[in-house]
Amino acid sequence: MKVSELSPPRRISEAPPVRIEAPTVDDGVEVWRIARDSKVLDVNSRYAYLLWCRDFAETTVVARAGRRVLGFVTGYRRPEEPNTLLVWQVAVDAAARGQGLAGRMLNSLFDRVPEVDHLETTITPDNDASIALFTKFAKRRGAPVKVDELFSGELLAPGEHDDHEPENKYRIGPIPDTARQS
């Protein structure tokens, strides 16, 4: 009999559980990478994401399995309306898509930011995935959604001959306090 036959069978390691939590500065590079690799977000510099993870960690979440960042939602309180959480970007790593992670991160973020009863974001008219994400969030929370154009495509176009879809503002709320899942 060979020694290897006496060894206990190998265990198939399970993937670590996904945790949704505030980012650290060290997460900024991974957040930037996911934004860049999404191919749909307007990508900012690494520096901007490092600052975001430092200065807006209370209004931002990352989804993490072990040490690996799988996705993020960045947001901030609107200065003129501190009861409104503006969600700036949502992205999930390609390897983790299709598992409802974006919705779970959005729920977690809203539930962890105190004294907020409205959520806003902007979405281009052609972004069906984001429209579905935010309208499903509103439905789960029993809140109305109001859609208005916030920035025209002309205002956003970088050059004279460039096109950009308008950014429509989705304002969700008021969200009943009883809808919080915390």
Side-chain angles (χ1 to χ4, degrees):
M1 184 178 278
K2 295 180 183 174
V3 174
S4 62
E5 292 176 350
L6 297 174
S7 302
R10 289 176 139 201
R11 297 179 115 191
I12 298 173
S13 64
E14 293 182 17
V18 175
R19 299 181 326 274
I20 299 173
E21 57 196 20
T24 66
V25 171
D26 293 338
D27 295 325
V29 173
E30 281 301 293
V31 168
W32 169 83
R33 179 194 59 78
I34 293 169
R36 180 200 65 199
D37 292 351
S38 75
K39 306 289 188 213
V40 295
L41 293 178
D42 290 333
V43 181
N44 297 281
S45 68
R46 281 185 181 206
Y47 179 73
Y49 290 99
L50 291 167
L51 283 175
W52 198 280
C53 288
R54 183 192 75 166
D55 294 343
F56 297 104
E58 291 183 4
T59 54
T60 295
V61 294
V62 294
R64 183 187 317 279
R67 292 183 178 178
R68 183 171 179 215
V69 175
L70 301 175
F72 68 89
V73 178
T74 55
Y76 63 89
R77 287 179 187 264
R78 294 223 26 239
E80 294 84 23
E81 295 181 46
N83 69 320
T84 299
L85 175 66
L86 183 118
V87 172
W88 178 48
Q89 289 187 320
V90 177
V92 175
D93 186 82
R97 290 185 191 142
Q99 301 171 31
L101 189 54
R104 289 175 27 218
M105 289 189 298
L106 191 57
N107 285 338
S108 178
L109 177 59
F110 180 80
D111 290 337
R112 71 178 47 223
V113 180
E115 300 173 11
V116 167
D117 64 0
H118 283 79
L119 187 140
E120 282 185 2
T121 195
T122 64
I123 307 172
T124 57
D126 64 346
N127 189 337
D128 294 332
S130 288
I131 292 168
L133 173 67
F134 285 93
T135 55
K136 286 177 184 177
F137 172 83
K139 186 175 182 177
R140 284 192 305 272
R141 300 303 173 119
V145 180
K146 183 178 180 194
V147 181
D148 295 305
E149 184 177 284
L150 182 62
F151 300 122
S152 70
E154 291 172 352
L155 189 60
L156 295 166
E160 184 178 317
H161 300 288
D162 294 326
D163 290 328
H164 195 292
E165 290 282 320
E167 288 283 347
N168 292 330
K169 177 180 72 175
Y170 282 68
R171 183 165 172 82
I172 301 168
I175 301 170
D177 203 37
T178 56
R180 287 197 180 266
Q181 299 173 354
S182 49

Short mmCIF file of all heavy atoms in Angstrom, two decimals, residues 123-181:
data_model
loop_
_atom_site.label_atom_id
_atom_site.label_comp_id
_atom_site.label_asym_id
_atom_site.label_seq_id
_atom_site.Cartn_x
_atom_site.Cartn_y
_atom_site.Cartn_z
N ILE A 123 -28.16 57.80 -13.86
CA ILE A 123 -28.05 56.64 -14.76
C ILE A 123 -28.31 57.13 -16.18
O ILE A 123 -29.26 57.88 -16.41
CB ILE A 123 -29.08 55.54 -14.39
CG1 ILE A 123 -28.99 55.15 -12.92
CG2 ILE A 123 -28.90 54.32 -15.29
CD1 ILE A 123 -30.10 54.21 -12.46
N THR A 124 -27.50 56.66 -17.12
CA THR A 124 -27.78 56.97 -18.52
C THR A 124 -28.96 56.12 -18.98
O THR A 124 -29.16 55.01 -18.49
CB THR A 124 -26.54 56.71 -19.40
OG1 THR A 124 -26.14 55.35 -19.24
CG2 THR A 124 -25.40 57.65 -19.05
N PRO A 125 -29.75 56.63 -19.92
CA PRO A 125 -30.95 55.91 -20.36
C PRO A 125 -30.68 54.52 -20.93
O PRO A 125 -31.57 53.66 -20.92
CB PRO A 125 -31.54 56.81 -21.44
CG PRO A 125 -31.00 58.16 -21.17
CD PRO A 125 -29.64 57.94 -20.55
N ASP A 126 -29.47 54.26 -21.42
CA ASP A 126 -29.16 52.96 -22.01
C ASP A 126 -28.63 51.93 -21.02
O ASP A 126 -28.33 50.81 -21.39
CB ASP A 126 -28.17 53.12 -23.16
CG ASP A 126 -26.82 53.66 -22.70
OD1 ASP A 126 -26.71 54.17 -21.56
OD2 ASP A 126 -25.85 53.60 -23.50
N ASN A 127 -28.55 52.29 -19.73
CA ASN A 127 -27.97 51.39 -18.73
C ASN A 127 -29.08 50.60 -18.02
O ASN A 127 -29.47 50.91 -16.90
CB ASN A 127 -27.14 52.19 -17.72
CG ASN A 127 -26.34 51.31 -16.80
OD1 ASN A 127 -26.66 50.15 -16.58
ND2 ASN A 127 -25.29 51.88 -16.23
N ASP A 128 -29.57 49.58 -18.72
CA ASP A 128 -30.69 48.79 -18.20
C ASP A 128 -30.36 48.10 -16.87
O ASP A 128 -31.22 47.98 -16.00
CB ASP A 128 -31.11 47.73 -19.23
CG ASP A 128 -31.69 48.35 -20.48
OD1 ASP A 128 -32.24 49.47 -20.42
OD2 ASP A 128 -31.58 47.71 -21.55
N ALA A 129 -29.12 47.64 -16.70
CA ALA A 129 -28.75 46.94 -15.46
C ALA A 129 -28.86 47.88 -14.25
O ALA A 129 -29.39 47.49 -13.20
CB ALA A 129 -27.34 46.37 -15.57
N SER A 130 -28.37 49.10 -14.38
CA SER A 130 -28.45 50.04 -13.26
C SER A 130 -29.88 50.48 -13.00
O SER A 130 -30.29 50.63 -11.85
CB SER A 130 -27.56 51.26 -13.51
OG SER A 130 -26.21 50.90 -13.40
N ILE A 131 -30.64 50.69 -14.05
CA ILE A 131 -32.05 51.06 -13.87
C ILE A 131 -32.77 49.95 -13.10
O ILE A 131 -33.50 50.22 -12.14
CB ILE A 131 -32.72 51.33 -15.24
CG1 ILE A 131 -32.12 52.60 -15.86
CG2 ILE A 131 -34.23 51.44 -15.09
CD1 ILE A 131 -32.50 52.81 -17.32
N ALA A 132 -32.53 48.71 -13.46
CA ALA A 132 -33.15 47.58 -12.75
C ALA A 132 -32.68 47.52 -11.30
O ALA A 132 -33.48 47.31 -10.39
CB ALA A 132 -32.83 46.27 -13.47
N LEU A 133 -31.37 47.70 -11.06
CA LEU A 133 -30.83 47.65 -9.70
C LEU A 133 -31.53 48.65 -8.79
O LEU A 133 -31.98 48.31 -7.69
CB LEU A 133 -29.33 47.92 -9.73
CG LEU A 133 -28.64 48.07 -8.38
CD1 LEU A 133 -28.64 46.76 -7.61
CD2 LEU A 133 -27.21 48.59 -8.58
N PHE A 134 -31.65 49.89 -9.24
CA PHE A 134 -32.20 50.93 -8.38
C PHE A 134 -33.72 50.88 -8.28
O PHE A 134 -34.28 51.16 -7.22
CB PHE A 134 -31.69 52.31 -8.82
CG PHE A 134 -30.26 52.53 -8.42
CD1 PHE A 134 -29.23 52.23 -9.29
CD2 PHE A 134 -29.95 52.98 -7.15
CE1 PHE A 134 -27.91 52.39 -8.90
CE2 PHE A 134 -28.64 53.15 -6.76
CZ PHE A 134 -27.61 52.86 -7.63
N THR A 135 -34.40 50.49 -9.35
CA THR A 135 -35.86 50.37 -9.23
C THR A 135 -36.24 49.17 -8.36
O THR A 135 -37.22 49.24 -7.61
CB THR A 135 -36.54 50.31 -10.62
OG1 THR A 135 -35.98 49.24 -11.38
CG2 THR A 135 -36.38 51.62 -11.36
N LYS A 136 -35.46 48.10 -8.40
CA LYS A 136 -35.71 46.96 -7.50
C LYS A 136 -35.44 47.36 -6.05
O LYS A 136 -36.17 46.94 -5.14
CB LYS A 136 -34.85 45.75 -7.89
CG LYS A 136 -35.33 45.05 -9.14
CD LYS A 136 -34.39 43.91 -9.51
CE LYS A 136 -34.80 43.26 -10.81
NZ LYS A 136 -33.84 42.20 -11.20
N PHE A 137 -34.39 48.16 -5.82
CA PHE A 137 -34.11 48.65 -4.47
C PHE A 137 -35.31 49.44 -3.95
O PHE A 137 -35.77 49.23 -2.83
CB PHE A 137 -32.85 49.52 -4.47
CG PHE A 137 -32.60 50.20 -3.16
CD1 PHE A 137 -31.96 49.55 -2.12
CD2 PHE A 137 -33.03 51.51 -2.94
CE1 PHE A 137 -31.74 50.16 -0.89
CE2 PHE A 137 -32.82 52.14 -1.73
CZ PHE A 137 -32.18 51.46 -0.70
N ALA A 138 -35.83 50.35 -4.78
CA ALA A 138 -36.98 51.16 -4.37
C ALA A 138 -38.18 50.28 -4.06
O ALA A 138 -38.88 50.51 -3.06
CB ALA A 138 -37.33 52.17 -5.47
N LYS A 139 -38.42 49.28 -4.88
CA LYS A 139 -39.55 48.38 -4.65
C LYS A 139 -39.38 47.61 -3.34
O LYS A 139 -40.34 47.49 -2.56
CB LYS A 139 -39.69 47.41 -5.83
CG LYS A 139 -40.92 46.54 -5.74
CD LYS A 139 -41.09 45.69 -6.98
CE LYS A 139 -42.36 44.87 -6.86
NZ LYS A 139 -42.60 44.09 -8.07
N ARG A 140 -38.17 47.09 -3.09
CA ARG A 140 -37.92 46.37 -1.82
C ARG A 140 -38.17 47.26 -0.62
O ARG A 140 -38.61 46.79 0.43
CB ARG A 140 -36.47 45.87 -1.77
CG ARG A 140 -36.17 44.67 -2.60
CD ARG A 140 -34.82 44.06 -2.27
NE ARG A 140 -33.68 44.96 -2.34
CZ ARG A 140 -32.96 45.21 -3.43
NH1 ARG A 140 -33.29 44.61 -4.58
NH2 ARG A 140 -31.93 46.02 -3.40
N ARG A 141 -37.87 48.54 -0.77
CA ARG A 141 -37.99 49.48 0.35
C ARG A 141 -39.34 50.18 0.40
O ARG A 141 -39.59 50.98 1.30
CB ARG A 141 -36.87 50.53 0.28
CG ARG A 141 -35.46 49.94 0.33
CD ARG A 141 -35.25 49.11 1.60
NE ARG A 141 -33.97 48.43 1.60
CZ ARG A 141 -33.03 48.62 2.52
NH1 ARG A 141 -33.20 49.47 3.50
NH2 ARG A 141 -31.92 47.93 2.45
N GLY A 142 -40.20 49.88 -0.55
CA GLY A 142 -41.54 50.49 -0.55
C GLY A 142 -41.49 52.00 -0.75
O GLY A 142 -42.27 52.74 -0.13
N ALA A 143 -40.60 52.46 -1.63
CA ALA A 143 -40.40 53.89 -1.82
C ALA A 143 -40.64 54.28 -3.27
O ALA A 143 -40.35 53.52 -4.19
CB ALA A 143 -38.98 54.27 -1.41
N PRO A 144 -41.15 55.49 -3.48
CA PRO A 144 -41.35 55.96 -4.85
C PRO A 144 -40.03 56.35 -5.51
O PRO A 144 -39.04 56.64 -4.84
CB PRO A 144 -42.24 57.19 -4.68
CG PRO A 144 -41.95 57.69 -3.30
CD PRO A 144 -41.62 56.46 -2.49
N VAL A 145 -40.05 56.37 -6.84
CA VAL A 145 -38.89 56.77 -7.63
C VAL A 145 -39.32 57.92 -8.54
O VAL A 145 -40.33 57.82 -9.23
CB VAL A 145 -38.36 55.62 -8.53
CG1 VAL A 145 -37.17 56.08 -9.34
CG2 VAL A 145 -38.04 54.39 -7.71
N LYS A 146 -38.55 58.98 -8.52
CA LYS A 146 -38.79 60.10 -9.43
C LYS A 146 -37.56 60.21 -10.34
O LYS A 146 -36.43 60.21 -9.86
CB LYS A 146 -38.98 61.40 -8.66
CG LYS A 146 -39.30 62.58 -9.54
CD LYS A 146 -39.53 63.84 -8.72
CE LYS A 146 -39.83 64.98 -9.69
NZ LYS A 146 -39.74 66.27 -9.03
N VAL A 147 -37.80 60.31 -11.65
CA VAL A 147 -36.72 60.38 -12.62
C VAL A 147 -36.79 61.71 -13.36
O VAL A 147 -37.84 62.08 -13.89
CB VAL A 147 -36.79 59.22 -13.64
CG1 VAL A 147 -35.65 59.29 -14.64
CG2 VAL A 147 -36.81 57.87 -12.93
N ASP A 148 -35.67 62.44 -13.36
CA ASP A 148 -35.52 63.70 -14.08
C ASP A 148 -34.14 63.72 -14.72
O ASP A 148 -33.21 63.10 -14.20
CB ASP A 148 -35.59 64.91 -13.13
CG ASP A 148 -36.92 65.08 -12.45
OD1 ASP A 148 -37.94 65.14 -13.15
OD2 ASP A 148 -36.93 65.13 -11.20
N GLU A 149 -33.99 64.47 -15.80
CA GLU A 149 -32.65 64.65 -16.35
C GLU A 149 -31.87 65.58 -15.43
O GLU A 149 -32.35 66.64 -15.06
CB GLU A 149 -32.73 65.25 -17.76
CG GLU A 149 -31.36 65.36 -18.40
CD GLU A 149 -31.41 65.89 -19.82
OE1 GLU A 149 -31.79 65.12 -20.73
OE2 GLU A 149 -31.07 67.08 -19.99
N LEU A 150 -30.67 65.16 -15.05
CA LEU A 150 -29.82 66.00 -14.21
C LEU A 150 -28.79 66.75 -15.05
O LEU A 150 -28.64 67.96 -14.93
CB LEU A 150 -29.12 65.17 -13.13
CG LEU A 150 -28.24 65.96 -12.16
CD1 LEU A 150 -29.08 66.96 -11.36
CD2 LEU A 150 -27.52 65.01 -11.22
N PHE A 151 -28.07 66.01 -15.92
CA PHE A 151 -27.07 66.61 -16.80
C PHE A 151 -27.34 66.18 -18.23
O PHE A 151 -27.47 64.98 -18.50
CB PHE A 151 -25.66 66.18 -16.41
CG PHE A 151 -25.28 66.56 -15.00
CD1 PHE A 151 -24.90 65.59 -14.09
CD2 PHE A 151 -25.29 67.89 -14.58
CE1 PHE A 151 -24.54 65.93 -12.79
CE2 PHE A 151 -24.93 68.24 -13.29
CZ PHE A 151 -24.56 67.26 -12.39
N SER A 152 -27.39 67.13 -19.14
CA SER A 152 -27.64 66.81 -20.54
C SER A 152 -26.40 66.14 -21.14
O SER A 152 -25.28 66.30 -20.63
CB SER A 152 -27.96 68.08 -21.33
OG SER A 152 -26.79 68.88 -21.44
N GLY A 153 -26.60 65.43 -22.23
CA GLY A 153 -25.49 64.82 -22.94
C GLY A 153 -24.51 65.85 -23.46
O GLY A 153 -23.30 65.63 -23.46
N GLU A 154 -25.03 67.00 -23.88
CA GLU A 154 -24.15 68.07 -24.37
C GLU A 154 -23.22 68.57 -23.27
O GLU A 154 -22.05 68.85 -23.51
CB GLU A 154 -24.99 69.23 -24.90
CG GLU A 154 -25.73 68.91 -26.16
CD GLU A 154 -26.71 70.02 -26.55
OE1 GLU A 154 -26.92 70.96 -25.76
OE2 GLU A 154 -27.26 69.92 -27.65
N LEU A 155 -23.73 68.68 -22.07
CA LEU A 155 -22.92 69.15 -20.96
C LEU A 155 -21.83 68.15 -20.61
O LEU A 155 -20.72 68.53 -20.22
CB LEU A 155 -23.82 69.39 -19.74
CG LEU A 155 -23.21 70.07 -18.53
CD1 LEU A 155 -22.70 71.46 -18.88
CD2 LEU A 155 -24.24 70.17 -17.42
N LEU A 156 -22.11 66.87 -20.80
CA LEU A 156 -21.16 65.81 -20.43
C LEU A 156 -20.19 65.44 -21.54
O LEU A 156 -19.17 64.81 -21.27
CB LEU A 156 -21.93 64.55 -20.01
CG LEU A 156 -22.75 64.72 -18.73
CD1 LEU A 156 -23.73 63.57 -18.60
CD2 LEU A 156 -21.84 64.80 -17.52
N ALA A 157 -20.50 65.79 -22.79
CA ALA A 157 -19.64 65.40 -23.92
C ALA A 157 -18.29 66.09 -23.80
O ALA A 157 -18.22 67.31 -23.64
CB ALA A 157 -20.31 65.75 -25.24
N PRO A 158 -17.21 65.33 -23.89
CA PRO A 158 -15.89 65.92 -23.71
C PRO A 158 -15.41 66.79 -24.88
O PRO A 158 -14.55 67.63 -24.70
CB PRO A 158 -14.97 64.71 -23.52
CG PRO A 158 -15.70 63.58 -24.15
CD PRO A 158 -17.16 63.89 -24.04
N GLY A 159 -15.94 66.60 -26.04
CA GLY A 159 -15.47 67.36 -27.20
C GLY A 159 -16.61 67.75 -28.11
O GLY A 159 -17.74 67.25 -27.98
N GLU A 160 -16.32 68.59 -29.05
CA GLU A 160 -17.33 69.13 -29.95
C GLU A 160 -18.06 68.05 -30.74
O GLU A 160 -19.25 68.14 -30.99
CB GLU A 160 -16.63 70.10 -30.91
CG GLU A 160 -17.55 70.81 -31.85
CD GLU A 160 -16.78 71.78 -32.72
OE1 GLU A 160 -15.90 72.50 -32.20
OE2 GLU A 160 -17.06 71.82 -33.93
N HIS A 161 -17.36 66.98 -31.12
CA HIS A 161 -17.97 65.94 -31.94
C HIS A 161 -18.25 64.66 -31.16
O HIS A 161 -18.57 63.63 -31.75
CB HIS A 161 -17.07 65.63 -33.15
CG HIS A 161 -16.84 66.83 -34.01
ND1 HIS A 161 -17.82 67.35 -34.82
CD2 HIS A 161 -15.75 67.62 -34.17
CE1 HIS A 161 -17.35 68.42 -35.44
NE2 HIS A 161 -16.09 68.60 -35.07
N ASP A 162 -18.10 64.72 -29.85
CA ASP A 162 -18.34 63.54 -29.00
C ASP A 162 -19.79 63.51 -28.55
O ASP A 162 -20.43 64.54 -28.39
CB ASP A 162 -17.43 63.56 -27.77
CG ASP A 162 -15.95 63.42 -28.15
OD1 ASP A 162 -15.66 62.71 -29.13
OD2 ASP A 162 -15.12 64.02 -27.45
N ASP A 163 -20.27 62.31 -28.34
CA ASP A 163 -21.62 62.12 -27.82
C ASP A 163 -21.55 61.54 -26.43
O ASP A 163 -20.64 60.77 -26.11
CB ASP A 163 -22.42 61.15 -28.71
CG ASP A 163 -22.77 61.76 -30.05
OD1 ASP A 163 -22.97 62.98 -30.12
OD2 ASP A 163 -22.84 60.99 -31.04
N HIS A 164 -22.51 61.89 -25.63
CA HIS A 164 -22.63 61.31 -24.29
C HIS A 164 -24.12 61.28 -23.99
O HIS A 164 -24.84 62.23 -24.27
CB HIS A 164 -21.89 62.15 -23.25
CG HIS A 164 -21.69 61.43 -21.94
ND1 HIS A 164 -22.72 61.10 -21.09
CD2 HIS A 164 -20.57 60.99 -21.34
CE1 HIS A 164 -22.24 60.49 -20.03
NE2 HIS A 164 -20.92 60.40 -20.16
N GLU A 165 -24.56 60.17 -23.46
CA GLU A 165 -25.95 60.07 -23.03
C GLU A 165 -26.18 61.04 -21.87
O GLU A 165 -25.27 61.31 -21.10
CB GLU A 165 -26.25 58.65 -22.55
CG GLU A 165 -26.26 57.61 -23.64
CD GLU A 165 -27.53 57.65 -24.44
OE1 GLU A 165 -28.61 57.83 -23.87
OE2 GLU A 165 -27.43 57.52 -25.67
N PRO A 166 -27.41 61.54 -21.72
CA PRO A 166 -27.69 62.35 -20.53
C PRO A 166 -27.61 61.48 -19.28
O PRO A 166 -27.74 60.26 -19.35
CB PRO A 166 -29.12 62.86 -20.76
CG PRO A 166 -29.72 61.91 -21.73
CD PRO A 166 -28.59 61.37 -22.56
N GLU A 167 -27.38 62.11 -18.15
CA GLU A 167 -27.43 61.43 -16.86
C GLU A 167 -28.76 61.79 -16.23
O GLU A 167 -29.02 62.96 -15.89
CB GLU A 167 -26.27 61.86 -15.96
CG GLU A 167 -24.93 61.33 -16.40
CD GLU A 167 -24.69 59.86 -16.06
OE1 GLU A 167 -25.45 59.28 -15.26
OE2 GLU A 167 -23.72 59.29 -16.60
N ASN A 168 -29.62 60.78 -16.08
CA ASN A 168 -30.91 60.99 -15.44
C ASN A 168 -30.78 60.74 -13.94
O ASN A 168 -30.18 59.76 -13.52
CB ASN A 168 -31.97 60.06 -16.04
CG ASN A 168 -32.29 60.43 -17.46
OD1 ASN A 168 -32.21 61.60 -17.85
ND2 ASN A 168 -32.65 59.45 -18.26
N LYS A 169 -31.37 61.63 -13.17
CA LYS A 169 -31.35 61.49 -11.71
C LYS A 169 -32.51 60.61 -11.28
O LYS A 169 -33.66 60.85 -11.65
CB LYS A 169 -31.47 62.86 -11.04
CG LYS A 169 -31.52 62.78 -9.52
CD LYS A 169 -31.63 64.15 -8.88
CE LYS A 169 -33.01 64.72 -9.12
NZ LYS A 169 -33.25 65.98 -8.45
N TYR A 170 -32.20 59.57 -10.54
CA TYR A 170 -33.20 58.70 -9.92
C TYR A 170 -33.21 59.07 -8.44
O TYR A 170 -32.22 58.89 -7.75
CB TYR A 170 -32.83 57.22 -10.10
CG TYR A 170 -33.13 56.71 -11.48
CD1 TYR A 170 -32.43 57.16 -12.58
CD2 TYR A 170 -34.16 55.79 -11.68
CE1 TYR A 170 -32.72 56.72 -13.85
CE2 TYR A 170 -34.45 55.33 -12.95
CZ TYR A 170 -33.73 55.81 -14.04
OH TYR A 170 -34.03 55.35 -15.30
N ARG A 171 -34.33 59.63 -7.99
CA ARG A 171 -34.47 60.01 -6.58
C ARG A 171 -35.47 59.04 -5.96
O ARG A 171 -36.63 58.98 -6.36
CB ARG A 171 -34.94 61.44 -6.43
CG ARG A 171 -35.04 61.88 -4.98
CD ARG A 171 -35.16 63.40 -4.87
NE ARG A 171 -35.43 63.82 -3.51
CZ ARG A 171 -34.54 63.96 -2.55
NH1 ARG A 171 -33.26 63.69 -2.80
NH2 ARG A 171 -34.88 64.35 -1.35
N ILE A 172 -35.01 58.28 -4.99
CA ILE A 172 -35.82 57.26 -4.32
C ILE A 172 -36.13 57.76 -2.92
O ILE A 172 -35.23 58.05 -2.15
CB ILE A 172 -35.06 55.92 -4.27
CG1 ILE A 172 -34.72 55.45 -5.69
CG2 ILE A 172 -35.87 54.87 -3.51
CD1 ILE A 172 -33.74 54.29 -5.75
N GLY A 173 -37.40 57.83 -2.61
CA GLY A 173 -37.77 58.23 -1.26
C GLY A 173 -39.00 59.11 -1.23
O GLY A 173 -39.51 59.49 -2.28
N PRO A 174 -39.46 59.37 -0.05
CA PRO A 174 -38.84 58.98 1.21
C PRO A 174 -38.92 57.46 1.43
O PRO A 174 -39.90 56.82 1.05
CB PRO A 174 -39.62 59.73 2.27
CG PRO A 174 -40.94 60.04 1.64
CD PRO A 174 -40.69 60.13 0.17
N ILE A 175 -37.87 56.95 2.02
CA ILE A 175 -37.79 55.53 2.33
C ILE A 175 -38.18 55.37 3.79
O ILE A 175 -37.56 55.95 4.67
CB ILE A 175 -36.37 54.97 2.09
CG1 ILE A 175 -35.98 55.20 0.61
CG2 ILE A 175 -36.28 53.50 2.48
CD1 ILE A 175 -34.51 54.92 0.30
N PRO A 176 -39.25 54.61 4.05
CA PRO A 176 -39.71 54.47 5.44
C PRO A 176 -38.63 53.87 6.33
O PRO A 176 -37.88 52.98 5.91
CB PRO A 176 -40.90 53.52 5.34
CG PRO A 176 -41.23 53.39 3.89
CD PRO A 176 -40.03 53.83 3.12
N ASP A 177 -38.53 54.37 7.54
CA ASP A 177 -37.53 53.86 8.49
C ASP A 177 -37.75 52.38 8.74
O ASP A 177 -36.81 51.64 9.01
CB ASP A 177 -37.58 54.65 9.78
CG ASP A 177 -36.28 54.56 10.56
OD1 ASP A 177 -35.21 54.55 9.93
OD2 ASP A 177 -36.34 54.46 11.79
N THR A 178 -38.99 51.94 8.63
CA THR A 178 -39.30 50.52 8.84
C THR A 178 -38.72 49.64 7.75
O THR A 178 -38.66 48.43 7.89
CB THR A 178 -40.82 50.31 8.91
OG1 THR A 178 -41.41 50.82 7.70
CG2 THR A 178 -41.43 50.99 10.13
N ALA A 179 -38.28 50.27 6.63
CA ALA A 179 -37.69 49.50 5.52
C ALA A 179 -36.23 49.20 5.74
O ALA A 179 -35.63 48.48 4.94
CB ALA A 179 -37.88 50.25 4.21
N ARG A 180 -35.63 49.74 6.79
CA ARG A 180 -34.21 49.45 7.07
C ARG A 180 -34.08 48.02 7.52
O ARG A 180 -34.89 47.51 8.27
CB ARG A 180 -33.66 50.38 8.14
CG ARG A 180 -33.46 51.76 7.61
CD ARG A 180 -32.53 52.56 8.52
NE ARG A 180 -32.38 53.87 7.97
CZ ARG A 180 -31.40 54.23 7.15
NH1 ARG A 180 -30.48 53.37 6.82
NH2 ARG A 180 -31.33 55.43 6.68
N GLN A 181 -33.01 47.38 7.08
CA GLN A 181 -32.80 45.96 7.38
C GLN A 181 -31.74 45.75 8.46
O GLN A 181 -31.32 44.65 8.69
CB GLN A 181 -32.40 45.22 6.11
CG GLN A 181 -33.48 45.29 5.04
CD GLN A 181 -33.02 44.70 3.73
OE1 GLN A 181 -31.89 44.31 3.54
NE2 GLN A 181 -33.94 44.64 2.78
#
